[in-house]
Amino acid sequence: MKTYEGHWTNIAQNQSQSFFSASSSHYKSWASRLAETYSSDAFENLIAGPPKCAFCGHLATKRCSRCTSEWYCSRKCQVSHWSKHKQPCGLLNVAFSQMNIGKSDL
């Protein structure tokens, strides 16, 4: 904290320009990079074992059909988790669409 003392205004202005004043093309590019970085393939390579349900943690056999990034053990768990998953699911779906990535590519 002391390292940045007296610099907080400059830091805030820089972050404001970087994150809140960007053009729509900048946001699209950023979303594409995030989608590519956090694709389900990248995550699957990090998982040491079978997938677990995003809601209850049990062994999962089903995926979200929209973004394919979340795993579920049952329809009931997927429906219960939807309120939390809805926003990131939509963002991933838009990013994948903009990158022209089909579900079969994931």
Side-chain angles (χ1 to χ4, degrees), residues 4-41:
Y4 299 107
E5 192 170 318
H7 299 284
W8 292 112
T9 302
N10 291 337
I11 291 169
Q13 288 173 347
N14 184 19
Q15 288 182 343
S16 176
Q17 290 171 355
S18 297
F19 295 105
F20 302 114
S21 301
S23 66
S24 63
S25 63
H26 174 77
Y27 284 123
K28 288 178 183 177
S29 172
W30 194 23
S32 294
R33 285 195 312 269
L34 287 172
E36 185 175 312
T37 301
Y38 296 107
S39 73
S40 55
D41 287 340

Side-chain angles (χ1 to χ4, degrees), residues 24-40 66-69 86-103 105-106:
S24 63
S25 63
H26 174 77
Y27 284 123
K28 288 178 183 177
S29 172
W30 194 23
S32 294
R33 285 195 312 269
L34 287 172
E36 185 175 312
T37 301
Y38 296 107
S39 73
S40 55
R66 188 172 180 206
C67 72
T68 69
S69 67
K86 183 178 182 177
Q87 185 178 9
C89 180
L91 292 172
L92 284 170
N93 196 39
V94 168
F96 290 152
S97 295
Q98 289 174 349
M99 293 172 50
N100 293 321
I101 296 176
K103 290 177 187 173
D105 297 324
L106 300 174

